[in-house]
Amino acid sequence: MLNGFKSLLMGAGLALAAALPAQAQKAPNHIPCNLGIVENFQTLFQRASFRPAAVPAGNVRVTFVGHSTFQIETPKGATAATDYAGFHISDQVPNIVTMNNSHTSHYTDVLDPDIKHVLRGWDPKGGIARHHVRLQDLRVYNLPTNIFNFGDGATNGNSVFVFEAAGLCLAHLGHLHHFLSKKQVSDLGRIDILFVPIDGMNTLSHEESIHIIDQIKPRVVMPMHLHFGGAYSFPGIAEKKGYQVKFLKKDTILVNRADLPEKTEVWFLVENL
């Protein structure tokens, strides 16, 4: 049945690809990670020319830039930066930037013109934000969260963004303020690496963070919001819950599916807190 579903998705995508320009192609935002969508579509979305990336095939490079910004790089040279706010930036201009919410430390309206896709986790005009972008060997989509209704229709204040490349699925919680429903967990799909705020105060309590990790069941948790609130106490709490905690003593790492632990581990892309 799964193979038939993949064929159906691929057929629908090919029809869409024929109808729209490459840079504008999007799809309904309900296809979860781990269905091989990027592999099936990558030849339709790569540019005519690009410089070879220094990321080996089958790997994704993850770099902690600061606060809640991580840069994700793929073997074909696609790059994405999470919670791009204009001051936690790397030397390389990303192709795609995501902004989970409209907090001043998580977004900016001042953008480098070389950034091709700017994905905001909320709809500035109201309503629910929806994104689904494929670029080269990278797919990015969002799961709207923090949804509320003021009487003029539902709107959302945050999104969980998911990045799929090289057989890996990475999700950034942003400023999620609630547990996920079963449907939301299903819409995310299989998540290998989960970026989680650990301040314990402004976003989620430590107990809430642990509960959401248990809901999603990633293979690796990469903490963010490291230097304020109660972040310093999170490693001990995670260890008491049975998670192995590792301080990798570097801010960048190549990740391959073969390197993922069997049980969820917490990997800090810093030397210490």
Side-chain angles (χ1 to χ4, degrees), residues 79-118:
T79 55
T82 67
D83 273 0
Y84 188 89
F87 47 87
H88 293 299
I89 56 176
S90 70
D91 294 334
Q92 183 179 7
V93 177
N95 307 127
I96 300 171
V97 299
T98 63
M99 304 173 185
N100 293 68
N101 63 84
S102 58
H103 292 194
T104 55
S105 59
H106 293 256
Y107 92 105
T108 182
D109 290 323
V110 181
L111 296 156
D112 190 302
D114 287 337
I115 296 172
K116 303 301 181 185
H117 298 279
V118 179

Side-chain angles (χ1 to χ4, degrees), residues 50-57 61 73-79 92 136-137:
F50 57 89
R51 63 173 180 81
V55 178
R61 176 180 288 121
E73 301 171 62
T74 75
K76 288 190 178 294
T79 55
Q92 183 179 7
Q136 296 163 197
D137 55 344

Side-chain angles (χ1 to χ4, degrees), residues 236-255:
I237 293 171
E239 287 178 334
K240 287 181 180 179
K241 293 294 184 179
Y243 298 127
Q244 184 173 358
V245 176
K246 297 179 179 179
F247 286 88
L248 302 186
K249 300 182 180 181
K250 55 186 177 182
D251 60 7
T252 188
I253 185 173
L254 284 173
V255 184

Side-chain angles (χ1 to χ4, degrees), residues 30-235:
H30 62 271
I31 305 172
C33 205
N34 194 34
L35 283 180
I37 302 302
V38 172
E39 289 77 4
N40 289 338
F41 280 86
Q42 63 185 23
T43 57
L44 296 174
F45 291 88
Q46 69 184 40
R47 296 178 182 177
S49 62
F50 57 89
R51 63 173 180 81
V55 178
N59 290 265
V60 170
R61 176 180 288 121
V62 180
T63 301
F64 178 56
V65 183
H67 191 51
S68 59
T69 301
F70 294 82
Q71 182 134 315
I72 298 165
E73 301 171 62
T74 75
K76 288 190 178 294
T79 55
T82 67
D83 273 0
Y84 188 89
F87 47 87
H88 293 299
I89 56 176
S90 70
D91 294 334
Q92 183 179 7
V93 177
N95 307 127
I96 300 171
V97 299
T98 63
M99 304 173 185
N100 293 68
N101 63 84
S102 58
H103 292 194
T104 55
S105 59
H106 293 256
Y107 92 105
T108 182
D109 290 323
V110 181
L111 296 156
D112 190 302
D114 287 337
I115 296 172
K116 303 301 181 185
H117 298 279
V118 179
L119 311 182
R120 293 177 172 83
W122 71 100
D123 186 344
K125 298 179 180 179
I128 304 297
R130 301 287 185 186
H131 300 290
H132 194 146
V133 173
R134 301 186 189 93
L135 179 66
Q136 296 163 197
D137 55 344
L138 175 64
R139 179 168 75 109
V140 183
Y141 65 93
N142 76 308
L143 174 73
T145 69
N146 300 8
I147 297 173
F148 51 90
N149 194 323
F150 282 144
D152 296 325
T155 187
N156 75 296
N158 180 74
S159 285
V160 175
F161 278 97
V162 180
F163 307 82
E164 180 182 359
L168 291 162
C169 301
L170 308 88
H172 190 288
L173 291 183
H175 266 248
L176 177 67
H177 289 317
H178 57 81
F179 297 155
L180 299 175
S181 68
K182 289 183 178 179
K183 183 179 184 306
Q184 287 175 318
V185 173
S186 177
D187 286 345
L188 285 179
R190 184 206 76 214
I191 299 301
D192 299 304
I193 297 175
L194 185 65
F195 303 110
V196 178
I198 63 165
D199 54 89
M201 299 172 59
N202 297 326
T203 314
L204 298 164
S205 69
H206 290 140
E207 291 75 14
E208 289 169 333
S209 294
I210 293 293
H211 180 84
I212 291 168
I213 292 169
D214 288 342
Q215 285 188 295
I216 296 175
K217 297 179 175 60
R219 305 283 284 279
V220 172
V221 171
M222 291 188 179
M224 56 188 182
H225 295 193
L226 301 183
H227 300 300
F228 68 98
Y232 65 91
S233 63
F234 182 82

